[in-house]
Structures are given as C-alpha cells and as structure tokens.
Amino acid sequence: MGRPPGHSKGYEAKKQDIIDTAAALFAKNGYASTGTTELGEVTGLAKGALYYYIKSKENLLVEIQDRVLEPLLEDTRAAQSVDISAAARLRLISEILLDMIYARLDHIWVYEHDYRHLSGKNLKKFLARRHEFEMIIESIIVEAMRDEQFLHSDPHLAMLQYFNLHNHTYQWLKPGTTRWSAEELSKTYCRTLFGGFATTILDIDEVEREVATYNESVQTAIGA
C-alpha cells in the first residue's frame, strides 16, 4: 500500500502498529472505556501525533472492522464459486472464518462487541457488508437443500445456527495454548452441524475428501 502524499516513509507501518495496539486495548477494556489519552500513552504519541495517523477514534474502530470483514468477504466470495458441493463450500468458509478468529482474536472481540459504536455511514457500511457475508452462507445452505444434501427447513435459521456455532469461539480461544487447530475445529463444527442438517444422501466423509482435494489443488497451483 502506497503511503498518502506528504506522509513519511514509516507512516503505514506505524499506522498498522497503532491499529494493533488499539484492538488489544479495546478488546481488554472496551471501546467506550478507552480514551485517546490512553492510546497515546501506550503508543508513545501525543494526541496531535496520534490523530495524524488515525484521524479520529471512530476511524480507528472502522480500521479494525475492515481488517476482519474485508478479507473475510474476499475469501468467502471466492469460496462461493469453487466447483465443489454446497456442503463442502460451507466447510471451506467455516475454516476461513476460524482462521480469521485465530489470526486476529483481539480484532474479533472488537468486531463482535463494539460495532454498535459506529455511526452514520460507517455503521451503514458495516451492516451492509456483514449482511452480504450472511447472505452468502444462506444462499449456499439453500443450494445444499435444493441438492438434497440438507433437510428442507428455514434457511435463515440454519444460517444463524451456522454462525452461532463459530462466532462464540473467540470467547474461549487462547492461541498457542488450545489443542485444536482452526482446521480441526472446522471439521468438528461442520460434522456436528451437518449431522443435524443432513439427509441420508449427504456423506460427511465425502465432504472432507472434497475439501482435502480442493486444498491440495490450491497448494499445487501455488507451488507451480
């Protein structure tokens, strides 16, 4: 990413460091309870210098949300079009979501708890992107029902069940100490969920084979 005109060479690196620091503080103390004075103390910047990088406290919250939603949406859109079964695509997206939770745990805390502090266009944009993410999942669930992999039920409720199973992981996850990888959790979560959704046609082991074959093809393409 090129730095904005007039900014020093280290501008972007310092800005990213401030975002990381803010995410950790907001996750620990809450967005509303963390002031710019505290941010300045932790980052070693006076208020004027801090605003040089972040513009406003709410803009800092926007940056944290973007670090979660932008890559999630990009990867989920890509997974939506992969030529494997609907259930296998849901399994792929499950792992994408859990990888994000593992990689940016502080950001996920803020994403889940503090988005309500966004205002105006910032909140509208956030809710629209989150809705898009949810509708991608719901559309794939509808496809799985159409293909007779899943029992026919309310797809919106099924989507909420899918997210509920994943989205509380951040509350107990302690990276570096947990005995399960994101892949292992994804396999277990989807086996649990799909076991309830499945018709007699769906072979959950075959879903795992589809995902493994797809992942191997991606790794082969990267190494080529």
Side-chain angles (χ1 to χ4, degrees), residues 77-147:
R77 289 170 186 146
Q80 185 181 21
S81 61
V82 172
D83 188 21
I84 54 180
S85 71
R89 275 177 274 142
L90 288 170
R91 165 66 175 80
L92 277 179
I93 296 169
S94 164
E95 192 167 335
I96 288 167
L97 178 53
L98 287 165
D99 276 335
M100 174 60 72
I101 292 171
Y102 270 69
R104 294 204 179 278
L105 188 58
D106 288 337
H107 292 66
I108 294 293
W109 269 94
V110 179
Y111 171 84
E112 292 289 347
H113 289 271
D114 292 322
Y115 72 89
R116 295 173 184 83
H117 294 286
L118 294 168
S119 63
K121 292 180 180 179
N122 289 333
L123 180 60
K124 185 177 180 179
K125 180 181 178 182
F126 169 83
L127 293 175
R129 289 189 298 173
R130 190 173 71 173
H131 179 71
E132 179 187 353
F133 187 28
E134 292 172 347
M135 289 305 98
I136 290 173
I137 299 301
E138 187 168 327
S139 70
I140 301 173
I141 288 172
V142 168
E143 187 178 344
M145 292 177 182
R146 185 198 67 200
D147 294 343

Side-chain angles (χ1 to χ4, degrees), residues 174-207:
K174 293 180 173 56
T177 63
T178 185
R179 53 182 168 174
W180 305 289
S181 67
E183 180 184 7
E184 289 167 334
L185 277 185
S186 178
K187 287 180 180 179
T188 302
Y189 283 2
C190 287
R191 186 170 290 273
T192 299
L193 196 62
F194 296 175
F197 287 165
T199 63
T200 56
I201 292 173
L202 180 65
D203 182 341
I204 300 176
D205 289 328
E206 178 57 28
V207 168

Side-chain angles (χ1 to χ4, degrees), residues 6-59:
H7 289 304
S8 63
K9 185 176 181 180
Y11 171 86
E12 191 59 36
K14 183 62 177 178
K15 178 181 175 182
Q16 296 307 313
D17 181 61
I18 292 169
I19 295 169
D20 282 336
T21 301
L25 281 174
F26 294 164
K28 180 181 178 182
N29 302 325
Y31 174 82
S33 299
T34 304
T36 52
T37 299
E38 184 178 0
L39 280 168
E41 290 173 353
V42 174
T43 57
L45 296 172
K47 183 175 288 190
L50 184 63
Y51 281 121
Y52 169 73
Y53 291 100
I54 67 170
K55 298 180 183 177
S56 70
K57 183 182 172 186
E58 183 171 334
N59 188 65

